Amino acid sequence: MGIHMQILIAVLLAFKRNWHIIAGLLLGIICGIVFPQSQYPVAHQVFSFVGQAFISIIQMIVIPLVISAIVIGISSVGDNKQLARFGKKMILYYAIITLAAVTIGAVLGIVIRPGEGAKEFINPDIAQELQGVVANMVADNHSNFSQILLNLIPKNPFYSLSMGDMIPIIIFVLIFSIALSKIGEINRPVVSFFESIFAATMKVTDWIMYLAAPGIFALVAASISSFGVSIFQGVGKYFIAIAIGLLIQFAVVYPLMLKIFSKVSVVKLYGAVTEAAMVAFGTASSSATLPLTITCCEKRGISSKICSFVLPLGATLNMDGTALVQTIAALFLTQAYGIELPLIVIVQIALLAAVASSTCAGIPGAGLITIALVLNGIGLTPEQMIVGFSFLFALDRFTDMMRTTANVVSDTVVAAIIADNANEINYELFNNPELQKEII
Ligand code: ASP
């Protein structure tokens, strides 16, 4: 069967499986247009409330899920040499994907020049309103590298847990799990305990997925009702640059990675993870999507051993879509302010974006917070950043939905490659969508 036919079948299958989510998305857009916040504040509040409730419900199981998945993942890998091999490969693939993303972002920023002429659209009122918020975020955002590195060390894991700081939690759980895998049979009670937690969180995920369509409807309606579709005027080039960049990730970088490093079919993989991609688009949160990302991969043939190791780490550390958007956003801002940057500074922006993105949490808007690091790194004044930030704020939800979809799909690309290399894919199931169970 030709590649076009395969893509068509994958798209049709995605529609068939996900018609209610697509209906939620479309209805959300329509209701957002029909009920603008300025005229219907109560409708907007209702949309926001339902959307926030949906995200909170999903997030409530993220911490137990991530911790139990990593503990099981590492202890089931058992033999440390294999773990080290998986770990090294995972970091290598995530690094390649992120470096490709920032390179594409930088090239598009230079070629398309998204910021040209955008200055007039920076709304001074919004800028003032958000001044306090942004100033606090920038102050909180540990604007130097040594502080960022120090903050990664979980001084008190329980404090990090209560604050939901994912990276220190993951570092602690990794160390703890490696220790567990080294102490032999005595680790059984603890590992079984986490196995039960993992099974229960997956069950809760199944239940939560009944809420996916109304949740996504409400989130989309709330965004469109706040900002309207007019927000797209004048910032068209910024969006186009981001859309082209992410499209290149999907159409070139991920397929190339799969082709070079594995024998996984990109069409089959995209078909298998469509639900996760759509929920990522609707929620703009890789962490909130994680339960579904794991479910899609596991139920469609990638072993749980690989999924529970690679996907939770990816959902926290691998943010290639965010890195791409941060690079374009930084160039957009400097261009909007008429600042010409030498190539070396653009390279610096790209590298800073690669680091900044991986320190950001998998929640909506996190990438906008860590972009302060990128801008600080090139010496923009806070005043410039405040106006620029407010502009980015107004647009953020839309770019967030797009970049989060890339963040999630690239995690599954890496999981599929590692699973293929380790002989951990059930190809009979993976290549045969007819055998795959519906998830949402
Ligand atoms: N929302 C993104 C995610 O969850 C992070 C970001 O803000 O870029 O992956």
Side-chain angles (χ1 to χ4, degrees), residues 18-100:
N18 303 298
W19 67 268
H20 45 320
I21 301 227
I22 293 171
L25 269 172
L26 293 178
L27 260 180
I29 294 175
I30 295 169
C31 285
I33 295 172
V34 174
F35 300 107
Q37 186 183 6
S38 50
Q39 290 169 35
Y40 299 93
V42 177
H44 177 264
Q45 273 170 8
V46 173
F47 297 146
S48 299
F49 173 79
V50 177
Q52 284 303 320
F54 175 59
I55 291 193
S56 303
I57 288 174
I58 303 185
Q59 278 184 333
M60 99 193 155
I61 52 162
V62 166
I63 290 187
L65 178 74
V66 168
I67 295 179
S68 57
I70 296 177
V71 172
I72 300 172
I74 292 186
S75 50
S76 72
V77 170
D79 159 42
N80 264 327
K81 279 198 200 109
Q82 196 185 20
L83 171 64
R85 226 177 31 243
F86 284 171
K88 275 188 209 143
K89 275 191 171 181
M90 182 183 72
I91 289 168
L92 174 74
Y93 296 140
Y94 283 150
I96 295 177
I97 284 186
T98 302
L99 287 178

Side-chain angles (χ1 to χ4, degrees), residues 308-320:
S308 56
F309 180 61
V310 177
L311 294 173
L313 291 170
T316 320
L317 297 173
N318 173 49
M319 302 276 177
D320 61 319

Side-chain angles (χ1 to χ4, degrees), residues 258-319:
L258 287 166
K259 189 143 200 86
I260 295 172
F261 297 112
S262 75
K263 52 181 186 305
V264 174
S265 144
V266 65
V267 175
K268 295 279 160 35
L269 179 69
Y270 286 179
V273 300
T274 322
E275 289 92 337
M278 296 182 89
V279 170
F281 186 78
T283 60
S285 166
S286 345
S287 296
T289 311
L290 179 62
L292 191 63
T293 318
I294 295 180
T295 310
C296 282
C297 290
E298 276 189 11
K299 291 207 171 156
R300 288 172 184 157
I302 299 180
S303 82
S304 66
K305 188 170 170 176
I306 300 294
C307 291
S308 56
F309 180 61
V310 177
L311 294 173
L313 291 170
T316 320
L317 297 173
N318 173 49
M319 302 276 177

Side-chain angles (χ1 to χ4, degrees), residues 93-172:
Y93 296 140
Y94 283 150
I96 295 177
I97 284 186
T98 302
L99 287 178
V102 293
T103 310
I104 293 166
V107 170
L108 288 171
I110 294 168
V111 174
I112 297 183
R113 296 195 63 77
E116 209 104 290
K119 200 171 179 177
E120 58 186 292
F121 293 99
I122 296 176
N123 180 334
D125 291 342
I126 300 181
Q128 215 170 9
E129 194 182 304
L130 294 174
Q131 199 158 352
V133 182
V134 175
N136 286 343
M137 279 177 178
V138 174
D140 283 354
N141 200 34
H142 343 293
S143 43
N144 63 65
F145 271 113
S146 56
Q147 193 55 43
I148 285 184
L149 292 180
L150 280 177
N151 284 338
L152 297 183
I153 302 173
K155 268 188 293 227
N156 177 349
F158 293 99
Y159 176 77
S160 305
L161 259 183
S162 66
M163 299 306 289
D165 289 342
M166 290 313 282
I167 294 189
I169 294 175
I170 286 195
I171 291 177
F172 174 74

Side-chain angles (χ1 to χ4, degrees), residues 284-287 319 322 360-368 396 400 403-404 407:
S285 166
S286 345
S287 296
M319 302 276 177
T322 301
C360 94
I363 55 172
L368 192 64
D396 191 59
D400 202 1
R403 67 186 185 241
T404 306
N407 292 344

